[in-house]
Amino acid sequence: MGFRLNYIFFYKLRNTLRMTGKSADLKNLKFYIHTFGCQMNNNDSEHIAGILDSCGANPSDSLEESDLVVINTCAVREKSEEKLYSLLGRLNSIREKKEKNFAIGVVGCVAQLHRSKLLEKMPHIDFILGPDNYWQIPEIIPKHHEEKIISTKWSKDWHEIPDEQTLRTSRVSAFVTIMEGCNNFCTYCVVPYTRGREKFRPAPHILTEIQELAQNGYKEIQLLGQNVNSYIDPNSQMGFVKLLRKVNTVEGIDWIRFIASHPKNFSTDIAKAMKESERICHQLHLPVQSGSSSVLHRMNRGYTRKEYQQIIKDLRRQMPDICLSTDIIVGFPGESDKEFQETMSLLEEIRYTNIFSFRYSPRPLTKAENITDDVPFAVKKERLIAVQELQKNIQIETNQSLIGSTIKVLCTGKSKKDQNIYSGRNKGYQVINFSSKKKVMDQFVNVQITSCGPYSLRGHTV
Ligand code: 5AD
Ligand code: SF4
């Protein structure tokens, strides 16, 4: 049953609009979306749900009752691909046992990467759509009975999905995609082959969407893209810093974040714009991947340890309260003990609020796939444990320093078991679980922190 935990429930905020949608083809069709991977995928799933909804289909939180199952996939590591195959296997056995007859669509990065090979491996899939093609879903569904459909062609132009075709998972916190694709070709990364080259969403569309979100009561927005700081408006050539400053002027939005940034082109102007814009949270995810300049060079990251340290120094000079997070890969081909220790010492020095750490996993089409994956699995495992242990202790220390303080939290979740228990995040994007006698879902609250673990803070409303 594990996979259902990842199911996204969509709020239906636009019941009136959906009935005026352009197609009634899918009327009463029940769909279920399972999402693997990053926030970009979550936002894509919100678009898929919105497109289906605008054609008359209905989101369902029960697989058994659905007529269509869409799996939005992630290809970044082998493990996420393996999870897809196990989910597909399970869906097939449900369908074979005739417990339920549903159409199965695989969309997103794995669909793009493997295309027809995916069908050879899993012939029970009905359609395959790449990350640039999921908007074709309404045309495809009526045809899937006649033929298997594969559509994975990239387009150079931005395909705008209007806000009324987006079913969001939160009523207060919204993702807003501003760019897609990647030109960086880090040697370990499959994303440039699944998401294509960088393309940018026109700024007026971004700003209109954010204004509409503000009017609909949204309080937090997260600008999304594989590399947001390379943003350039395709028409006016306005860059990311100017975009940030414009987004900051939208009345009604309290917190603005953006993810992901690349250290290679993270200029001091961005830090300055963050400091000077009252709505932009002093929080940043800046993936470093490794603390060793020689590994960074082999990864084709385009910066050295020293340059990265300089960016962090500048960020902290401008915003002493900034909360930083990062991504770490251990066991990249050729990573020596000495090189690994440089990652450890960087973590000790920077003291991130949170990290995401991974064992290197060779991916198809990437340059690193052709270099021998020579760090033994046991060593990768040991290094991952070491990184996570070190970071855990750092987080315990930083979290303990917050005990007794009162923190502003945007409440975005509530416990199913106990109606007085809620969860949310603070400006620094830390997870806070708290109790409240009043109903506070989707609201800002002040929480007094009373205890903590390494990965979350606990408290009660005041
Ligand atoms: N192996 C392990 N981790 C990877 N990532 C990307 N590609 C790989 C890979 N081949 C990690 C990076 C990236 C995050 C999204 O996933 O740390 O920042
Ligand atoms: Fe992958 Fe590097 Fe592009 Fe990030 S910047 S998506 S890690 S290739």
Side-chain angles (χ1 to χ4, degrees), residues 261-439:
S261 303
H262 197 304
K264 186 175 76 175
N265 52 358
F266 195 91
S267 67
T268 183
D269 292 2
I270 305 176
K272 194 161 176 273
M274 289 174 78
K275 181 191 171 184
E276 291 171 359
S277 307
E278 69 281 9
R279 295 185 167 98
I280 301 181
C281 296
H282 291 183
Q283 174 258 323
L284 186 71
H285 184 69
L286 198 62
V288 67
Q289 314 298 359
S290 166
S292 150
S293 294
S294 44
V295 174
L296 289 171
H297 180 71
R298 300 204 294 279
M299 288 177 164
N300 189 33
R301 288 292 287 172
Y303 55 87
T304 60
R305 173 187 174 102
K306 219 172 178 173
E307 283 161 347
Y308 186 90
Q309 284 168 317
Q310 197 50 48
I311 299 170
I312 300 294
K313 206 170 154 195
D314 182 50
L315 282 161
R316 287 208 161 125
R317 182 180 57 79
Q318 305 221 44
M319 292 167 282
D321 61 338
I322 193 166
C323 286
L324 297 163
S325 58
T326 202
D327 291 342
I328 299 285
I329 297 177
V330 300
F332 185 75
E335 186 188 62
S336 65
D337 266 337
K338 190 168 165 276
E339 287 169 329
F340 171 66
Q341 287 310 324
E342 291 184 274
T343 296
M344 295 288 277
S345 69
L346 192 79
L347 290 178
E348 270 179 279
E349 177 192 309
I350 294 182
R351 296 179 68 84
Y352 293 98
T353 308
N354 187 21
I355 69 163
F356 301 88
S357 50
F358 313 102
R359 273 192 306 267
Y360 168 69
S361 142
R363 301 309 292 134
L365 307 177
T366 61
K367 274 211 172 135
E369 199 204 5
N370 300 319
I371 319 171
T372 315
D373 181 18
D374 57 357
V375 179
F377 182 81
V379 175
K380 283 184 187 162
K381 207 170 152 189
E382 222 171 74
R383 289 181 184 171
L384 189 66
I385 292 171
V387 156
Q388 293 177 345
E389 268 303 301
L390 169 64
Q391 182 60 25
K392 187 173 155 190
N393 291 330
I394 291 171
Q395 287 180 204
I396 289 174
E397 278 174 33
T398 38
N399 287 352
Q400 273 173 349
S401 71
L402 291 169
I403 294 176
S405 63
T406 299
I407 295 179
K408 185 173 171 181
V409 175
L410 181 58
C411 176
T412 49
K414 61 183 167 196
S415 161
K416 282 192 183 123
K417 288 187 204 139
D418 184 339
Q419 57 169 2
N420 294 327
I421 301 290
Y422 294 87
S423 68
R425 289 184 188 259
N426 63 356
K427 252 186 169 175
Y429 214 51
Q430 289 170 286
V431 175
I432 292 137
N433 298 312
F434 60 95
S435 61
S436 169
K437 293 216 168 75
K438 280 197 213 145
K439 287 193 166 66

Side-chain angles (χ1 to χ4, degrees), residues 36-41 72-85 107-114 131 181-182 186-196 225-226 260 285 287 289 301 327-330 332 356-366 368-369:
F36 289 103
C38 60
Q39 278 157 322
M40 190 77 131
N41 267 16
N72 194 0
T73 59
C74 170
V76 146
R77 280 168 296 277
E78 206 175 353
K79 218 169 159 186
S80 42
E81 244 189 79
E82 282 163 9
K83 284 191 206 156
L84 163 69
Y85 297 128
V107 305
C109 290
V110 180
Q112 184 73 40
L113 187 65
H114 296 313
C182 182
C186 300
T187 54
Y188 53 81
C189 185
V190 77
V191 167
Y193 308 95
T194 61
R195 292 259 174 190
Q226 265 78 35
H285 184 69
Q289 314 298 359
R301 288 292 287 172
D327 291 342
I328 299 285
I329 297 177
V330 300
F332 185 75
F356 301 88
S357 50
F358 313 102
R359 273 192 306 267
Y360 168 69
S361 142
R363 301 309 292 134
L365 307 177
T366 61
E369 199 204 5

Side-chain angles (χ1 to χ4, degrees), residues 112-285:
Q112 184 73 40
L113 187 65
H114 296 313
R115 300 177 221 192
S116 54
K117 271 195 253 150
L118 198 53
L119 259 186
E120 283 163 27
K121 199 166 174 177
M122 296 278 172
H124 59 290
I125 297 171
D126 296 289
F127 62 87
I128 291 177
L129 298 174
D132 224 7
N133 311 85
Y134 58 74
W135 52 272
Q136 295 165 347
I137 239 176
E139 300 158 33
I140 278 168
I141 290 167
K143 291 187 204 149
H144 86 266
H145 296 292
E146 295 142 36
E147 54 178 334
K148 303 268 182 190
I149 297 155
I150 303 179
S151 178
T152 54
K153 201 163 174 267
W154 282 324
S155 149
K156 275 203 213 111
D157 302 315
W158 187 265
H159 186 93
E160 182 67 19
I161 311 243
D163 193 41
E164 61 268 19
Q165 287 190 348
T166 309
L167 274 193
R168 297 191 183 273
T169 51
S170 163
R171 293 171 207 264
V172 280
S173 176
F175 299 123
V176 175
T177 298
I178 66 164
M179 60 88 62
E180 230 202 300
C182 182
N183 296 358
N184 292 317
F185 292 94
C186 300
T187 54
Y188 53 81
C189 185
V190 77
V191 167
Y193 308 95
T194 61
R195 292 259 174 190
R197 294 301 78 72
E198 285 177 350
K199 58 181 171 187
F200 305 105
R201 186 174 179 199
H205 295 184
I206 298 170
L207 292 163
T208 305
E209 181 172 12
I210 296 171
Q211 279 151 3
E212 283 175 12
L213 286 165
Q215 281 158 18
N216 283 322
Y218 281 81
K219 296 290 166 209
E220 175 183 64
I221 59 141
Q222 299 200 42
L223 306 177
L224 295 184
Q226 265 78 35
N227 182 10
V228 288
N229 44 334
S230 66
Y231 179 83
I232 299 177
D233 178 50
N235 303 313
S236 71
Q237 308 301 309
M238 174 175 76
F240 183 58
V241 170
K242 240 182 162 174
L243 178 74
L244 273 184
R245 291 191 185 271
K246 285 211 168 183
V247 172
N248 184 58
T249 63
V250 178
E251 290 292 329
I253 299 295
D254 292 277
W255 286 354
I256 300 163
R257 312 177 189 277
F258 50 92
I259 189 167
S261 303
H262 197 304
K264 186 175 76 175
N265 52 358
F266 195 91
S267 67
T268 183
D269 292 2
I270 305 176
K272 194 161 176 273
M274 289 174 78
K275 181 191 171 184
E276 291 171 359
S277 307
E278 69 281 9
R279 295 185 167 98
I280 301 181
C281 296
H282 291 183
Q283 174 258 323
L284 186 71
H285 184 69

